[in-house]
Amino acid sequence: MLEDWVVMPTCLPLVLRRCHACASERFRANGKFRVNANHKLIDAWLLALCTGCGETTKLTILERTNVRSVRPALLDQMHDNDPGLAAELLQDPVVRRRNRIALDWDNAWRLDTGGSDHLDREVNHVSDASDAIDVSVRFAARIPVRPVRLIAEGFGLSRAEVERLIMEGSVVSAVRLSGKLSGDFTFTLKP
């Protein structure tokens, strides 16, 4: 049996950066942009609010860039405060490195198992080799998640139970299931 799971973002992740006003380390990006043009040069920032005091920080997107070198569609998206563009830019490694930020994805994603509420029954009733369950996990965004957590959530098991199944060889994958992954992978649950 083959199952398709998708890790879906539910909101923008928190931005990890120290606040200069209150020393909090979390900012919430709300998808708002600020664009400033000075003759032929343009600057653009993604705005984020401190979760502690509400102070605004600006994440640099464009800096002293010639207006002609910026795609008009990109400018339109920034002027329209496009939340999809904000999500895309937050995941861009160049933007994260330039602004010295990291992302906190806790409570910002969900696992879509395609309505497979029968999986927990199948885990408990896998009886012969033909009953193995193959699962393909896709990521709709680069969200770093522990595979053990995904498997536990998808099958309704505890993480300790999933780790026991991995140690027994009942859950196998071509990728390492310890640590975090943010790219597509597959695994098999054997009887």
Side-chain angles (χ1 to χ4, degrees):
M1 165 180 265
L2 178 63
E3 296 289 332
D4 286 318
W5 295 357
V6 181
V7 178
M8 302 285 297
T10 56
C11 61
L12 292 174
L14 291 177
V15 175
L16 300 178
R17 173 191 244 184
R18 182 171 289 287
C19 177
H20 298 292
C22 73
S24 170
E25 294 185 359
R26 291 184 162 31
F27 285 82
R28 181 166 310 285
N30 57 5
K32 303 282 187 213
F33 290 90
R34 176 160 183 236
V35 180
N36 186 26
N38 185 4
H39 300 288
K40 294 180 182 179
L41 300 178
I42 191 167
D43 295 303
W45 301 275
L46 175 61
L47 304 179
L49 301 174
C50 176
T51 59
C53 66
E55 185 73 19
T56 301
T57 190
K58 297 186 296 187
L59 305 176
T60 302
I61 305 302
L62 300 173
E63 188 172 35
R64 310 300 292 164
T65 305
N66 190 309
V67 173
R68 291 181 185 256
S69 66
V70 179
R71 292 186 340 244
L74 177 64
L75 279 176
D76 289 343
Q77 285 178 295
M78 286 191 275
H79 285 297
D80 293 341
N81 292 319
D82 184 343
L85 177 63
E88 182 182 322
L89 290 171
L90 280 174
Q91 293 180 56
D92 185 343
V94 173
V95 171
R96 290 199 320 258
R97 201 170 26 256
R98 174 189 293 157
N99 290 284
R100 295 186 189 101
I101 61 170
L103 301 178
D104 178 2
W105 281 98
D106 286 350
N107 303 315
W109 62 272
R110 67 178 168 79
L111 179 62
D112 181 5
T113 59
S116 300
D117 57 351
H118 61 280
L119 288 178
D120 56 346
R121 291 192 304 275
E122 288 180 18
V123 169
N124 296 324
H125 293 88
V126 173
S127 58
D128 61 41
S130 65
D131 287 334
I133 302 170
D134 293 316
V135 179
S136 172
V137 180
R138 291 183 303 110
F139 287 78
R142 290 186 296 267
I143 303 170
V145 183
R146 295 186 187 285
V148 170
R149 180 176 178 189
L150 290 176
I151 296 167
E153 189 171 317
F155 286 123
L157 301 170
S158 70
R159 291 186 201 171
E161 179 70 10
V162 171
E163 288 177 0
R164 184 185 65 75
L165 290 170
I166 292 170
M167 293 299 291
E168 290 175 355
S170 295
V171 175
V172 294
S173 178
V175 299
R176 195 177 55 135
L177 295 175
S178 60
K180 290 186 177 184
L181 292 176
S182 59
D184 300 352
F185 70 98
T186 59
F187 70 91
T188 302
L189 175 65
K190 297 179 182 178

